[in-house]
Amino acid sequence: MSKKENNYVLSKDEDLKLFEDSLSEDEETVEVNGFEVLVSQILRFDLLGSHLSGSQEKQLKNAFIDVLLNLIETLCQSTTELSLEDLNKEESTLFDLTRAGLEVGWLRQKWDVAYLKKEKQRVTGARIRELEEQVRKRKLSLSDLESDLKNEKAAALVAKSRTGFRDIV
């Protein structure tokens, strides 16, 4: 059995090959019509949507909703739980959803806010580590100065002390 679209015929095997060719262990997948489909491949699957049955179309819509919910769940994490890698992955997902025709500008704004917070956390963390190192170095320097001061006081005390008769004779 084959699917015909603009005089291009795709067999079921070719449809599956489209999706399997770009499988990546790092990229998120969703189940559509019993198949694991990469989020980035949903667009291709959607283009074939005119050939889908009612239940298959419902499964595709559910897949989009699952992707959106996963994206929202990720963006709801605190900046300490969220990594830049997670944010980059979700940016790719947003791009794929936009390519598929979904209006996700509002979600892109939330992603931008989360990214800026994470970046600020990274920069602030680096500055804190830098300041902590400066404090540590200054504490060592202060400790050295206190030691020098103690030695000078001891030397001054010895110089101030009265010389006894026995010390002279």
Side-chain angles (χ1 to χ4, degrees):
M1 185 160 186
S2 62
K3 298 176 185 179
K4 188 172 183 181
E5 183 176 19
N6 296 335
N7 297 326
Y8 182 50
V9 179
L10 296 172
S11 70
K12 283 185 177 181
D13 292 336
E14 288 172 324
D15 286 348
L16 289 174
K17 182 104 174 91
L18 282 174
F19 305 119
E20 292 171 350
D21 282 346
S22 60
L23 281 177
S24 166
E25 292 179 20
D26 295 341
E27 193 168 351
E28 185 177 349
T29 61
V30 293
E31 187 174 322
V32 178
N33 197 22
F35 296 101
E36 288 292 315
V37 180
L38 294 171
V39 172
S40 62
Q41 298 301 316
I42 290 179
L43 175 61
R44 287 188 195 172
F45 201 78
D46 192 41
L47 292 175
L48 301 173
S50 60
H51 302 286
L52 299 175
S53 70
S55 66
Q56 290 170 328
E57 189 174 330
K58 185 176 180 182
Q59 288 176 339
L60 182 61
K61 287 179 183 179
N62 287 341
F64 277 120
I65 290 170
D66 286 344
V67 170
L68 281 170
L69 290 175
N70 287 338
L71 177 59
I72 291 168
E73 184 179 311
T74 300
L75 293 177
C76 287
Q77 294 177 1
S78 72
T79 54
T80 54
E81 297 171 323
L82 196 59
S83 70
L84 285 174
E85 183 179 308
D86 292 336
L87 284 168
N88 289 333
K89 181 179 174 186
E90 297 307 342
E91 181 181 33
S92 176
T93 300
L94 276 169
F95 178 74
D96 292 336
L97 291 172
T98 302
R99 274 190 7 211
L102 271 74
E103 298 285 332
V104 290
W106 59 275
L107 201 50
R108 176 59 192 218
Q109 290 174 344
K110 301 296 182 188
W111 182 90
D112 289 341
V113 169
Y115 182 83
L116 288 174
K117 283 181 179 180
K118 185 64 180 179
E119 187 61 19
K120 183 176 181 177
Q121 178 191 24
R122 186 190 65 77
V123 169
T124 303
R127 179 69 178 143
I128 287 171
R129 286 187 297 280
E130 180 183 314
L131 290 172
E132 286 173 339
E133 181 63 20
Q134 287 179 10
V135 167
R136 186 188 66 77
K137 286 179 180 178
R138 289 186 180 175
K139 281 182 177 179
L140 285 174
S141 178
L142 180 61
S143 177
D144 290 345
L145 284 173
E146 286 175 336
S147 177
D148 290 347
L149 178 61
K150 184 178 175 182
N151 291 338
E152 289 295 323
K153 284 181 177 180
L157 187 60
V158 168
K160 273 196 326 189
S161 66
R162 191 169 185 197
T163 307
F165 183 74
R166 289 187 182 193
D167 292 332
I168 297 176
V169 181

